Amino acid sequence: MKKTTNAQVQNPKVVKTSRSELVKLIKNSGGKFVTVDFSTKAEPNRKMNCMFPKHLSADAPAAQLGYLVVIAPKQGYKSINTRTIKSAKVGGVVYTV
């Protein structure tokens, strides 16, 4: 088994952006998995690995920051309230609000 050192572990790039830009990035991720940090009524800090379905239109507006439909593995379709998104990791880059 190969040991990893601190020099081998790379920290992802962190970029500050708006919620609407973050939703566009998630929608245009091309069906790849993204990690989204958001809050719900039951859980103030929720993290979900999911992907935006390719068959849904990425051109449609985010319904003025309404709900975003994603697919979570072993859970199926889920809705994320875009007003509660704190950060998302898309393509190896962490975007924060």
Side-chain angles (χ1 to χ4, degrees):
M1 184 178 259
K2 192 174 184 181
K3 287 188 176 182
T4 59
T5 63
N6 288 339
Q8 292 175 336
V9 178
Q10 295 179 356
N11 291 333
K13 182 178 176 184
V14 178
V15 178
K16 189 162 177 66
T17 186
S18 67
R19 288 189 204 282
S20 57
E21 287 296 319
L22 188 56
V23 171
K24 286 179 188 177
L25 286 167
I26 293 170
K27 285 185 171 187
N28 294 325
S29 62
K32 295 184 179 178
F33 279 93
V34 297
T35 302
V36 182
D37 292 322
F38 61 100
S39 62
T40 63
K41 289 182 181 180
E43 297 178 62
N45 294 319
R46 170 98 192 255
K47 185 179 270 193
M48 180 187 297
N49 290 324
C50 56
M51 65 182 219
F52 186 75
K54 288 183 179 180
H55 66 275
L56 292 180
S57 174
D59 297 332
Q64 298 297 54
L65 293 179
Y67 287 90
L68 180 66
V69 177
V70 295
I71 299 175
K74 297 182 184 178
Q75 296 176 359
Y77 287 90
K78 294 287 187 179
S79 295
I80 297 174
N81 186 350
T82 56
R83 293 183 199 114
T84 63
I85 294 177
K86 298 173 187 170
S87 67
K89 185 175 180 182
V90 181
V93 180
V94 177
Y95 296 93
T96 61
V97 178

